[in-house]
Amino acid sequence: TAMTLTNLFSVSSFGEFEFWFAGIKVAAIVVFLVIGLAYVFGLWPNKSMDFSNLTAHGGFLPYGILGITAAVVTVIFSMTSAEVATIAAAESKDPERAVAKAANSVIARIATFYIGSIFLLVVILPWNDTTVAASPFVAAFTQMGIPYADDLMNAVVLTAVLSCLNSGTYTASRMLFVLAARREAPLQLVSVTKRGVPAVA
């Protein structure tokens, strides 16, 4: 209900909530990257530099190259929120510049946050560790001896879920609005409030 009301109020309120939701997620990943790098490179108490998990437990790519192709499906599913930037840019002051900036930043973010964190997870934990299936970040923090890792990550996950709900409501309403404008959905969905929000959609 709160996320729906946020989206009904104005575009800026959606953006404000999404800014803080994203900030919490990014902060959590940055903390993991910093701590993970310290752990991997032996800057952690009672820990030496160790990259053995990359080649141990059956070697690198124990199931061959097909393992990568199977993982690509999950990766693509995980990256489906990138289009939100282009949809939101349509309601900005300079859409062309905003879309270009957002698209370029997405590439950098994937390289830093996604590939970086996955690399650290694979180095810190054996790929066949059973705890990875539940939550790889909790398993990694637990391996490093950080207390209350599960509670902290659950809070971040809850924030991520709220962010998905917030952006999902926003994008779905805008898509319905566009479909109605093209006469591919009921015309009532085209109506907007004084704040420019497609409330019916």
Side-chain angles (χ1 to χ4, degrees):
T1 304
M3 291 300 95
T4 303
L5 291 173
T6 298
N7 276 271
L8 284 171
F9 186 70
S10 70
V11 177
S12 60
S13 61
F14 154 77
E16 187 68 26
F17 270 83
E18 200 55 36
F19 171 81
W20 289 107
F21 287 150
I24 292 170
K25 291 185 289 184
V26 169
I29 294 294
V30 168
V31 167
F32 174 74
L33 289 173
V34 171
I35 294 174
L37 284 169
Y39 185 83
V40 165
F41 283 99
L43 304 174
W44 200 254
N46 304 318
K47 179 73 173 66
S48 58
M49 186 166 62
D50 183 13
F51 290 85
S52 62
N53 280 334
L54 290 175
T55 54
H57 313 285
F60 193 72
L61 292 176
Y63 291 103
I65 199 74
L66 289 177
I68 293 177
T69 58
V72 165
V73 177
T74 304
V75 172
I76 292 172
F77 172 78
S78 301
M79 294 295 141
T80 54
S81 61
E83 74 281 358
V84 176
T86 57
I87 296 171
E91 297 182 55
S92 66
K93 291 180 180 178
D94 188 356
E96 188 175 340
R97 184 170 175 271
V99 169
K101 185 179 178 182
N104 290 331
S105 67
V106 164
I107 296 168
R109 288 172 188 173
I110 289 174
T112 304
F113 299 121
Y114 188 81
I115 296 175
S117 60
I118 292 298
F119 175 76
L120 287 175
L121 286 171
V122 172
V123 173
I124 294 169
L125 299 165
W127 66 268
N128 55 358
D129 190 325
T130 55
T131 59
V132 174
S135 175
F137 287 101
V138 170
F141 279 131
T142 303
Q143 175 75 15
M144 290 184 273
I146 297 174
Y148 308 110
D150 52 348
D151 294 329
L152 291 170
M153 289 312 298
N154 283 335
V156 174
V157 168
L158 178 60
T159 303
V161 171
L162 288 172
S163 174
C164 287
L165 176 61
N166 192 35
S167 60
T169 303
Y170 175 84
T171 53
S173 63
R174 270 51 180 188
M175 292 302 294
L176 279 173
F177 175 81
V178 171
L179 286 171
R182 294 177 178 176
R183 299 184 181 280
E184 295 174 7
L187 289 177
Q188 295 90 332
L189 297 172
V190 178
S191 62
V192 295
T193 65
K194 291 179 180 179
R195 295 177 180 270
V197 177
V200 178

